[in-house]
Amino acid sequence: VIFATGTPVSNSMTELYTVMRYLQYGTLQKKNLTHFDSWASTFGETTTAIELAPEGTGYRARTRFAKFFNLPELMNMFKEVADIKTSDQLNLPVPEAKFETVVVQPSEHQQDMVAELSERAAAVHAGIVDPSEDNMLKITSDGRKLGLDQRLMNPLLPDDPDSKLNACVGNVLRIWQDGQADKLTQLAFCDISTPKGRAAPEKVAAKAPAGNLDSPELHALESMIPEPEPEPQFTVYEDIRAKLIDQGIPPEQIAFIHDANTEARKKELFAKVRTGQVRVLIGSTFKMGAGMNVQDRLIALHDLDCPWRPGDLEQRSGRIIRQGNKNPEVHIYRY
């Protein structure tokens, strides 16, 4: 039996314990480490750190299991079953990535709404609202939507010319023009406000309560929260596509991963991206993060939002920093 992964610890350090339980149960028994508490007290250390509160205003102290302890002993034990190769040891012919963080300023509407989120969070912490009405998951999801575009909170608000979306559209357009001769391609990742207009009506109904976040666990969690009113029909994907078409990119060169809803369609779409027929592909980590080989002409990747798990960022950048990419240097923009 071979376990193979590029992200063994993607979300929490407890994952290493889980892998060891699968592969080294006998060893853990011999060393009396089968119970998580004894493993954690031997190899883990809790650290208390000040971190930004999820509602985005103020800080709080949190104690987390965040540091490995007795590391040489842990690695000796783990290496009985693990053959670890890091990217610098493999020295694969992958392009060099230049990371750029694009910082945009919040609009007045966004600043007001963030203040409102912190009031909601204070009410949740004080226990004066019923969790079915409002809770931290809902507030954090609203914060992510608000951070992406204010129209996700209220479609009647104006389109802010300095928003993340418009900064991204500007970059996509510039890179598209510069790469005309070689038909260079780009990927844009966005997990919030995924397109749902083309799905069957009952599928839309099923998706709407989930706050339109592409992640199975969060779908499950968020669907438990009743939505007070139906979700507006503004989606980030359609907005980006419309703006790019207005600026002169032919519609057939822009695609959503959500349109390729069968394996055959996916194959066809990926082939088009590899040959440069489709030059801008927009999708979510859930649908586009793993096992997608479209790297041949990729020159830029745009992260419009931050995914929930650290490993998801690895998976996203792994689409472009990949063997078979003809470009010696690529750009990853984070908004």
Side-chain angles (χ1 to χ4, degrees):
V1 175
I2 295 174
F3 276 40
T5 175
T7 45
V9 180
S10 63
N11 196 37
S12 139
M13 288 169 45
T14 56
E15 287 165 42
L16 191 56
Y17 165 73
T18 306
V19 172
M20 288 173 91
R21 275 193 65 195
Y22 272 118
L23 301 173
Q24 299 183 273
Y25 198 73
T27 311
L28 290 180
Q29 274 179 322
K30 261 184 242 157
K31 299 195 188 311
N32 290 326
L33 296 173
T34 41
H35 288 289
F36 176 69
D37 288 4
S38 47
W39 184 88
S41 59
T42 312
F43 297 124
E45 202 179 330
T46 53
T47 54
T48 301
I50 301 292
E51 60 179 47
L52 191 65
E55 61 270 20
T57 54
Y59 292 82
R60 61 181 189 181
R62 277 315 282 270
T63 302
R64 292 188 187 284
F65 180 48
K67 221 167 155 189
F68 281 121
F69 193 60
N70 291 332
L71 200 57
E73 291 82 354
L74 175 62
M75 288 323 291
N76 281 340
M77 198 162 123
F78 189 47
K79 280 183 173 171
E80 290 173 11
V81 293
D83 180 23
I84 300 163
K85 290 277 179 278
T86 56
S87 51
D88 47 331
Q89 287 173 315
L90 292 172
N91 207 8
L92 296 171
V94 295
E96 189 191 342
K98 291 243 179 326
F99 287 86
E100 278 183 57
T101 304
V102 181
V103 181
V104 299
Q105 295 308 313
S107 68
E108 282 181 21
H109 292 293
Q110 280 170 313
Q111 287 171 330
D112 294 344
M113 285 178 176
V114 167
E116 207 176 290
L117 289 181
S118 95
E119 285 164 21
R120 279 171 58 191
V124 168
H125 289 312
I128 51 181
V129 277
D130 189 88
S132 63
E133 275 170 46
D134 205 4
N135 53 56
M136 284 314 291
L137 178 65
K138 204 171 174 190
I139 293 169
T140 312
S141 298
D142 284 351
R144 293 178 80 217
K145 289 179 195 169
L146 178 58
L148 183 59
D149 196 283
Q150 59 192 26
R151 289 169 296 168
L152 286 171
M153 297 300 286
N154 180 354
L156 303 175
L157 287 175
D159 178 10
D160 177 16
D162 300 323
S163 70
K164 283 183 8 174
L165 242 62
N166 291 320
C168 177
V169 167
N171 277 337
V172 170
L173 202 68
R174 172 179 56 78
I175 296 163
W176 176 81
Q177 281 162 338
D178 294 347
Q180 282 281 44
D182 298 326
K183 289 189 173 175
L184 297 180
T185 59
Q186 305 177 62
L187 291 182
F189 276 101
C190 180
D191 291 357
I192 306 171
S193 183
T194 49
K196 54 186 191 297
R198 281 187 280 290
E202 64 275 14
K203 278 192 180 168
V204 173
K207 270 193 108 169
N212 223 21
L213 288 157
D214 249 5
S215 161
E217 305 99 279
L218 285 152
H219 273 313
L221 279 168
E222 289 212 311
S223 59
M224 295 156 103
I225 305 164
E227 284 278 305
E229 67 275 346
E231 235 179 287
Q233 283 305 306
F234 165 78
T235 75
V236 165
Y237 282 61
E238 297 290 356
D239 193 59
I240 292 174
R241 193 204 328 239
K243 283 174 179 165
L244 291 174
I245 293 170
D246 284 349
Q247 305 272 2
I249 298 185
E252 65 276 8
Q253 290 190 16
I254 305 165
F256 298 163
I257 189 76
H258 299 73
D259 292 346
N261 49 10
T262 65
E263 283 307 311
R265 282 181 186 168
K266 269 188 191 166
K267 261 190 187 145
E268 188 189 340
L269 174 60
F270 296 167
K272 282 182 177 172
V273 179
R274 284 196 293 271
T275 55
Q277 288 168 271
V278 169
R279 292 189 48 206
V280 180
L281 179 58
I282 310 171
S284 61
T285 321
F286 182 50
K287 289 197 182 285
M288 206 160 74
M292 183 178 76
N293 292 312
V294 293
Q295 62 275 13
D296 302 35
R297 295 166 191 265
L298 277 183
I299 187 69
L301 184 145
H302 306 266
D303 282 319
L304 267 164
D305 59 357
C306 190
W308 287 100
R309 292 171 297 210
D312 293 342
L313 276 175
E314 283 290 301
Q315 293 288 8
R316 284 183 180 191
S317 53
R319 299 312 99 211
I320 191 167
I321 309 171
R322 199 173 182 87
Q323 287 166 279
N325 191 330
K326 296 171 186 167
N327 299 304
E329 188 178 288
V330 295
H331 299 271
I332 295 179
Y333 295 91
R334 290 182 171 160
Y335 298 86

